[in-house]
């Protein structure tokens, strides 16, 4: 990394993600601690190692001009599709899903990497289109780049990533610009097709996914059964009150009341120990990161950098909103991790690479003047 890059390196963004990651490690440590004297699971150690690997990935990405991502975007996308197909064929099953590829000493989740491959490729595609998109162009783009991975993600099933993929497609398409009649037509077509698509979508869901939606719509229907997870999450958050119970004093994790306490529901564990005040501080750190990402997009040197930074910012923001929303019972549970905090090596590495791209875009925003 040369002096120019070091001078323009976004230390603020790196500091915020490292701070959130550190909060994640200590929350995982507390949530997975044993009830009595005995062995402590090594989830927090693994997470710490993945943070270190993520930093290496981030620095590596920053060292290269992000422009090369545009040139290699289609290759990156095809590799991502290949990983999803490999997951469908030889993936390891667990917990009612087939989302992982085992490499012996560790497993990784291709869908976490694919979402970034999709953003890189689709923003590159949209950058090359100068006029507002017609209806046919939108349909072609969906069929060419989104339909197949959406289908493969539903088959795993990875409903959360599949939903994020659709939202990314819609958001980036609208940001790039479509003709007004297209927006009107898609809005009407969407409203009319909701009952039909809803039935098809419902039939494709697994039983546990249907139960999650039922529990969201009717939280009191079965609090000790299908509504158990969200009920315990609300109990954890509510019991934290204003100041929280204190570090290593939370009970929902060690007593194993809350399933997925160190992954999708890490925010509930944090809120139990640090309370409303700590949750607000955490949210402000996330908002600082998002604000900086938006500023990076606004000041990018070219259209590709601007749209790429916008897409990454939207993607990470949706993960934050959906995760915290489902932990508080405001949104249905769809298996979305909290960026930089939830336990998971592939998601953490993917997010650090995404931040590396943002920092690369920001560090090179003055290139046109040299």
């Amino acid at each position: 990394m040369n002096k120019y890059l070091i001078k323009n390196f976004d230390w603020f963004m790196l500091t915020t993600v490292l701070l959130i990651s550190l909060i994640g490690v200590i929350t995982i440590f507390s949530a997975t601690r044993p009830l009595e004297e005995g062995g402590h699971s090594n989830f927090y150690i693994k997470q710490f190692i993945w943070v270190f690997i993520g930093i290496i990935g981030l620095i590596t990405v920053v060292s290269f001009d992000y422009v090369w991502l545009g040139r290699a975007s289609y290759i990156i996308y095809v590799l991502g599709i290949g990983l999803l197909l490999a997951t469908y064929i030889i993936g390891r099953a667990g917990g009612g899903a087939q989302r992982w590829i085992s490499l012996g000493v560790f497993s990784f989740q291709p869908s976490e990497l694919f979402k970034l491959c999709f953003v890189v490729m689709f923003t590159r595609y949209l950058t090359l289109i100068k006029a507002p998109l017609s209806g046919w162009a939108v349909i072609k783009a969906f069929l060419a780049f989104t339909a197949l991975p959406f289908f493969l993600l539903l088959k795993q099933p990875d409903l959360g990533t599949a939903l994020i993929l659709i939202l990314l497609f819609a958001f980036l398409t609208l940001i790039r610009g479509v003709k007004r009649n297209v927006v009107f037509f898609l809005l009407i077509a969407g409203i009319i097709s909701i009952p039909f698509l809803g039935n098809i979508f419902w039939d494709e869901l697994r039983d546990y996914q249907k139960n999650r939606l039922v529990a969201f719509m009717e939280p009191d229907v079965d609090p000790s059964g299908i509504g158990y997870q969200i009920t315990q999450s609300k109990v954890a958050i509510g019991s934290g009150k204003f100041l929280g119970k204190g570090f290593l004093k939370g009970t929902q994790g060690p007593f194993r009341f809350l399933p997925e306490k160190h992954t999708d529901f890490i925010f509930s564990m944090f809120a139990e120990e640090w309370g409303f005040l700590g949750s607000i501080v955490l949210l402000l750190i996330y908002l600082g990161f998002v604000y900086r990402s938006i500023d990076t997009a606004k000041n990018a040197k070219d259209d590709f950098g601007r749209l790429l930074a916008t897409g990454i910012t939207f993607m990470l923001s949706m993960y934050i909103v959906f995760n915290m929303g489902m932990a508080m019972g405001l949104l249905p549970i769809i298996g979305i991790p909290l960026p930089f905090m939830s336990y998971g090596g592939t998601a953490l590495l993917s997010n650090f690479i995404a931040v590396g791209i943002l920092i690369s875009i920001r560090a090179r925003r003055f290139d046109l003047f040299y």
Side-chain angles (χ1 to χ4, degrees), residues 53-129:
I53 295 173
I55 294 172
I56 294 174
L58 182 150
I59 294 173
T60 303
V61 171
V62 175
S63 301
F64 293 93
D65 193 332
Y66 67 90
V67 173
W68 73 268
L69 284 172
R71 295 169 184 155
S73 59
Y74 290 93
I75 297 174
I76 293 172
Y77 177 77
V78 171
L79 289 175
I81 289 289
L83 286 173
L84 291 183
L85 285 170
T87 310
Y88 183 69
I89 298 169
I90 62 170
R92 178 176 62 81
Q98 186 172 321
R99 301 178 186 171
W100 302 269
I101 292 179
S102 178
L103 296 178
V105 293
F106 71 95
S107 300
F108 75 102
Q109 190 174 343
S111 60
E112 291 291 344
L113 294 174
F114 179 78
K115 64 192 182 188
L116 196 53
C117 299
F118 177 80
V119 174
V120 170
M121 183 283 307
F122 197 51
T123 52
R124 171 64 174 173
Y125 170 77
L126 292 175
T127 303
L128 297 176
I129 299 175

Side-chain angles (χ1 to χ4, degrees), residues 122 126 133 138 141 168-178 186:
F122 197 51
L126 292 175
L133 294 167
V138 173
L168 274 169
F169 174 83
F171 176 77
L172 289 171
T173 301
L174 290 174
I175 286 291
R176 190 56 192 166
V178 296
L186 291 177

